[in-house]
Amino acid sequence: MSAPRNYRQEYDNYQGTPEQRKKRSNRNKARRLMIKARGKAAVAGKDVDHVNRNANDNSLNNLRIASRKQNRSRNG
């Protein structure tokens, strides 16, 4: 059996870096923008997809609502 995940180490080494924090912030901001533009019901259970795959580009013409399966298979 493998060792349990060390979430603290993951945050320190990757998720907590300034670059990743900025990307996460922009992904959250994109979701808030789409909720404001389309409504909470339209976004519920869906992902907000960046068309050009740049998490820092939150222009409305670069954002779309996609199913979780569609978005995560495209970006995985």
Side-chain angles (χ1 to χ4, degrees):
M1 188 159 195
S2 63
R5 281 178 73 174
N6 186 340
Y7 292 99
R8 178 77 250 173
Q9 185 180 26
E10 286 182 27
Y11 183 82
D12 290 341
N13 292 338
Y14 180 72
Q15 298 169 10
T17 63
E19 178 185 6
Q20 292 306 316
R21 289 177 66 181
K22 183 177 180 186
K23 283 183 179 182
R24 181 172 60 246
S25 172
N26 280 321
R27 287 191 303 268
N28 291 338
K29 186 183 287 186
R31 187 165 191 86
R32 289 192 304 270
L33 286 170
M34 289 304 279
I35 288 172
K36 189 172 183 179
R38 303 279 174 87
K40 199 168 190 174
V43 181
K46 308 261 186 195
D47 281 354
V48 174
D49 181 27
H50 290 84
V51 176
N52 68 3
R53 300 178 75 169
N54 178 1
N56 295 320
D57 181 1
N58 282 339
S59 57
L60 282 177
N61 61 359
N62 184 47
L63 299 176
R64 65 180 167 201
I65 299 172
S67 70
R68 288 179 179 170
K69 182 176 181 180
Q70 178 187 15
N71 184 46
R72 295 176 190 186
S73 67
R74 176 178 176 265
N75 294 327

